[in-house]
Amino acid sequence: MNNIPIEHLLVGCGADELIDLLMRCVLDPGDTIVDCPPTFTMYAFDAAVNGASVITVPRLDGFRIDVPAIEKAVREHHPKMLFMTSPNNPDGSMIAEADLLAVLALPVLVVLDEAYIEFSQEPSRMRWVMERPNLVVLRTFSKSAGLAGLRVGYGAFPAGMIDYLWRAKQPYNVSVAAETAACAALTNPSYLQDVRDKLVTERERLFRLLQGVSFLEPYPSSANFILCKVVSGQDAKAVKDVLAAEHGIMVRHYAKAELSGFIRVSVGRPEHTDALMAALHSLEQPAVLAVEKE
């Protein structure tokens, strides 16, 4: 776990449970957090559950965080927490180091969610927690270790916060099966690295191939998925529906307004990429999606 001293670490039943634990320990009813959508939706959800309000600072073109707008929000609203995701969900973009340093200079607790960091070429920022008292970094076994159903997350926290979090955390939230699987993953890092390397190689291949689809604009990704804007007059939901109904291929479509024209494709094996590309190219025939939209 990045050689972080044990006094900075806490393990829980999934990173989203740690998000809720953090909010329960830090927020009082009526407090505020800053959220930067489109991003992981549980930040706003858990804030509402804990009686907090959400100051929304939308991302810029290319899904970059808007640092000047974040600085203004912190000055005007005095939030207790700021949530950042890198690589971001749903587009896979990374937060630039200069941008992260800028927000860490603000008087707010910065929670950096690194659920997909293993798929990135950039290092984790977990060790920064040892020197920065306003930084929390969250990680998970759900993505690169493939343990999503078993729910094991962990995080690095400032030393002054960790004792209080351990007292507030429920004691039995990681099952025996989840603990056994997580320990097994930790004892076989070479296998996880091999799987990770193969997935990243396939992600780059998939990205190049998606660039050749006439009605898609894929975004570069540092995660295990690729977000694509559906263009050329095509309808994103129609693309998703036809892929499922006629080809048995599931991609993600978003109902929220800021992502309504997008689909997201998970990276799989080479044969999965080949099947997807054959299906997508078949949809380039104008009549196919026109019938679906009627």
Side-chain angles (χ1 to χ4, degrees):
M1 295 185 181
N2 295 86
N3 298 317
I4 301 296
I6 191 67
E7 60 266 24
H8 286 275
L9 291 173
L10 184 149
V11 179
C13 185
D16 46 353
E17 283 82 0
L18 292 180
I19 293 168
D20 179 66
L21 173 64
L22 266 171
M23 290 193 183
R24 286 192 285 114
C25 291
V26 173
L27 298 175
D28 292 316
D31 284 340
T32 60
I33 72 163
V34 173
D35 189 29
C36 301
T39 191
F40 187 42
T41 57
M42 290 303 295
Y43 310 139
F45 176 88
D46 283 331
V49 169
N50 286 279
S53 59
V54 179
I55 305 302
T56 298
V57 180
R59 289 173 177 254
L60 302 171
D61 290 344
F63 299 96
R64 294 175 297 116
I65 62 169
D66 189 343
V67 174
I70 291 172
E71 293 171 337
K72 180 180 179 182
V74 172
R75 286 196 309 269
E76 294 181 354
H77 299 281
H78 309 289
K80 283 189 175 179
M81 306 177 78
L82 164 63
F83 285 86
M84 316 290 290
T85 313
S86 186
N88 189 42
N89 177 0
D91 66 286
S93 62
M94 297 294 297
I95 297 176
E97 182 171 313
D99 289 343
L100 181 57
L101 289 171
V103 299
L104 282 169
L106 300 173
V108 63
L109 178 65
V110 177
V111 182
L112 180 63
D113 189 340
E114 290 188 336
Y116 297 93
I117 192 65
E118 290 87 352
F119 305 111
S120 168
Q121 303 295 338
E122 297 188 21
S124 169
R125 308 303 183 188
M126 283 191 76
R127 294 190 62 82
W128 287 20
V129 172
M130 299 166 62
E131 301 174 355
R132 299 179 183 277
N134 68 325
L135 174 64
V136 168
V137 178
L138 302 180
R139 301 281 293 275
T140 181
F141 285 86
S142 294
K143 313 307 179 188
S144 67
L147 304 185
L150 291 176
R151 313 299 301 143
V152 188
Y154 62 100
F157 303 83
M161 179 185 294
I162 197 74
D163 288 342
Y164 183 67
L165 291 169
W166 273 117
R167 292 199 301 270
K169 186 179 89 67
Q170 296 184 19
Y172 305 117
N173 61 345
V174 177
S175 69
V176 172
E179 182 178 342
T180 301
C183 288
L186 289 172
T187 60
N188 198 355
S190 60
Y191 171 76
L192 294 183
Q193 185 65 37
D194 180 61
V195 172
R196 177 264 179 202
D197 291 345
K198 289 178 179 177
L199 187 144
V200 169
T201 297
E202 190 59 25
R203 180 188 69 202
E204 300 310 309
R205 173 177 175 252
L206 174 60
F207 178 77
R208 292 192 299 270
L209 292 172
L210 289 171
Q211 288 180 307
V213 178
S214 61
F215 57 88
L216 294 180
E217 289 183 0
Y219 284 75
S221 174
S222 293
N224 62 344
F225 51 75
I226 297 176
L227 186 72
C228 300
K229 186 175 183 180
V230 179
V231 296
S232 301
Q234 304 286 19
D235 180 77
K237 187 175 185 304
V239 172
K240 179 250 187 185
D241 290 344
V242 172
L243 286 174
E246 299 185 9
H247 301 275
I249 296 173
M250 299 297 297
V251 299
R252 185 165 184 177
H253 167 261
Y254 296 88
K256 289 195 172 184
E258 67 266 25
L259 290 170
S260 62
F262 291 80
I263 60 172
R264 196 178 82 180
V265 180
S266 295
V267 182
R269 296 175 180 269
E271 57 266 31
H272 300 151
T273 297
D274 295 340
L276 171 66
M277 296 312 303
L280 287 172
H281 285 305
S282 75
L283 300 189
E284 290 180 305
Q285 303 171 25
V288 175
L289 292 179
V291 172
E292 183 67 19
K293 291 171 66 174
E294 288 180 355

